[in-house]
Amino acid sequence: MSLVGRWLAVHCYKHDGSIHRIWDRGFVLENNDDFIIIASKKAKVVESNGRKWFTKEPAVTIFAKKEWWNVICMLKSDGICYYCNIASPSLVDKDCIKYIDYDLDAKLFSNDDIRLLDEKEYLHHKNKFDYSNELDIVLKYTTRQIVEKMKSRLFPFNDDKIKEYYQKYLGFVEKKD
């Protein structure tokens, strides 16, 4: 059964299997061997501590199935901002996209500024959850690869492609209303 056109929840876990964050829904735009691509507007988010909030901007999210990342592409008034989670490859289980978050993040702003985030949190969890040396190597290598993709504006860091996905989402949603 095709996932395209369906709404799925998103569950983000920590290395020990505990829930980190849940998004109530994302509309599946594409599902292929490499990626699951969803879009959403005002998705409800529940944090592990029970705090609830709604996303501010519309977003297109690309979940890699074979690589160690996912990217939330936030469509802001001044351009697209890309938030890349260094995370396990994503999978679909029933009506839910699932992945493990490994704290290291990279953010690409609309002015091409790139920032690495949460390095202290990564070191804390690396020790707390006893990440293997192999996992540490994969995560750091992926972070370097992502920064290079950001600098070159390679997929998924391509504004035109993300806008195309968002227009596709709007077309689907308008048909259903």
Side-chain angles (χ1 to χ4, degrees), residues 28-29 53 60-61 66 76 87 103 131:
V28 180
L29 298 171
W53 54 279
V60 172
T61 305
K66 298 175 184 173
K76 297 178 175 265
D103 305 312
Y131 297 169

Side-chain angles (χ1 to χ4, degrees), residues 3 6 10 20 31 47 52 86 124 126 147 158:
L3 294 175
R6 292 183 53 207
V10 178
H20 176 54
N31 180 33
E47 302 286 346
K52 296 175 183 149
I86 304 304
H124 170 74
K126 179 184 177 205
V147 168
N158 178 292

